[in-house]
Amino acid sequence: MTSEIKESIKRAAHWIRMARHAVVFSGAGISTPSGIPDFRGKKEGLWQRYDPMKVASLSAFIHTPEIFYDWFRPLFLTSWTALPNAAHAGLAKLEETGYIQSIITQNIDGLHQKAGSQRVFELHGSALSFSCPGCGTSQPASSVYQQFISGVLIPECDQCHRVLKPEVVLFEESLPALVWQEAEEEVQKADLVLVIGSSIEVYPACTLPQQAIRHGSWVIINNLTPTPLDRNAAIVVQMDAAQFVPRLVEMILSTHND
């Protein structure tokens, strides 16, 4: 780690310690160290291998559920078995100690909650919850997991036997209105937004850090690659999230970081 990066992390830690209402905005880069695939990566991203409208749209779910679940089943199984990494754990510690107030995430893997974070706003829903489009019954992810490992390829509702839908935001669907409203309120209250592992390119989620900059919040960006907001950010650290967050947390919690 260069001295420049060390100094950037030290400054970020100081500002988070001083913040009145710090909010985290997380993307795929925080979960790739846990084995969760990135959707939009230029080399390994899922959308480099699949046409999202054919596999991950509402139309695909309705008209070709077998194709939809051929794509979604491995993603669910990976999310179900994945473990939080040091970045997720570090953010949970910062929430527990009062240094961050909430996490707004683009991720659908549930790893923030597995790590112990309490106030998590999932903009794109969750791969770990299911409901029936027919009768509205919710189905626990554990039940769907059991169906998959027993050889079922398309999970069905226990009540009416319709195909279950994962509670993720598919193409052709809008973001959940209540979650979006709550996320916007968090950003409006924030005097500091810490972006971790996001390219800040996916609309409309990307407008949240933009809003923070417009109303004068400090924005700190940790991402492996450049983002469109780097030039507007107070601090930019290009570093793996699972390496960056533990060092940040250590400095924040240190009594000698003044």
Side-chain angles (χ1 to χ4, degrees):
M1 187 191 308
T2 67
S3 58
E4 182 180 356
I5 288 179
K6 286 180 181 178
E7 182 59 29
S8 293
I9 297 174
K10 184 177 180 179
R11 286 194 295 128
H14 177 73
W15 286 356
I16 291 171
R17 290 179 66 192
M18 297 300 105
R20 172 186 48 79
H21 194 99
V23 171
V24 172
F25 180 85
S26 71
I30 197 172
S31 292
T32 49
S34 291
I36 304 294
D38 186 354
F39 284 83
R40 296 174 184 269
K42 289 182 171 56
K43 292 183 179 179
E44 301 297 328
L46 288 178
W47 299 151
Q48 300 300 317
R49 291 179 281 149
Y50 298 97
D51 180 342
M53 295 306 295
K54 291 182 179 179
V55 301
S57 65
L58 185 61
S59 295
F61 170 77
I62 294 171
H63 300 297
T64 54
E66 66 284 353
I67 294 175
F68 173 83
Y69 268 105
D70 279 349
W71 166 76
F72 183 77
R73 190 168 53 253
L75 182 60
F76 165 78
L77 292 171
T78 299
S79 299
W80 179 254
T81 56
L83 297 175
N85 61 56
H88 299 103
L91 294 182
K93 184 66 174 178
L94 291 183
E95 182 186 24
E96 178 188 344
T97 51
Y99 286 106
I100 64 171
Q101 307 309 309
S102 63
I103 297 172
I104 300 167
T105 187
Q106 299 169 275
N107 299 336
I108 60 174
D109 50 47
L111 290 177
H112 284 300
Q113 293 92 326
K114 284 185 182 180
S117 294
Q118 301 296 311
R119 298 194 72 230
V120 181
F121 300 97
E122 296 175 305
L123 296 178
H124 298 150
S126 172
L128 301 183
S129 56
F130 294 79
S131 60
C132 176
C135 66
T137 302
S138 294
Q139 194 88 3
S142 57
S143 172
V144 174
Y145 177 73
Q146 290 301 323
Q147 289 191 49
F148 283 150
I149 63 171
S150 67
V152 173
L153 299 180
I154 303 176
E156 293 184 348
C157 173
D158 289 342
Q159 303 299 317
C160 69
H161 303 292
R162 287 274 299 272
V163 175
L164 289 173
K165 181 183 180 298
E167 294 182 347
V168 297
V169 178
L170 303 177
F171 287 90
E172 304 172 333
E173 290 188 302
S174 300
L175 269 59
L178 179 58
V179 173
W180 178 257
Q181 178 184 336
E182 292 172 329
E184 280 198 312
E185 290 173 355
E186 282 297 296
V187 169
Q188 288 163 10
K189 288 188 287 187
D191 55 348
L192 185 147
V193 173
L194 173 61
V195 177
I196 300 181
S198 176
S199 62
I200 323 180
E201 292 180 333
V202 178
Y203 184 85
C206 66
T207 65
L208 294 174
Q210 294 168 5
Q211 288 179 37
I213 286 174
R214 282 198 299 271
H215 74 60
S217 293
W218 295 104
V219 172
I220 299 169
I221 298 176
N222 163 232
N223 197 50
L224 276 174
T225 56
T227 81
L229 288 190
D230 284 2
R231 67 182 182 276
N232 304 110
I235 298 173
V236 176
V237 181
Q238 290 188 13
M239 185 178 185
D240 187 289
Q243 297 176 350
F244 167 77
V245 175
R247 288 169 171 79
L248 178 70
V249 172
E250 181 181 4
M251 288 188 181
I252 290 172
L253 299 182
S254 169
T255 58
H256 303 291
N257 184 43
D258 293 316

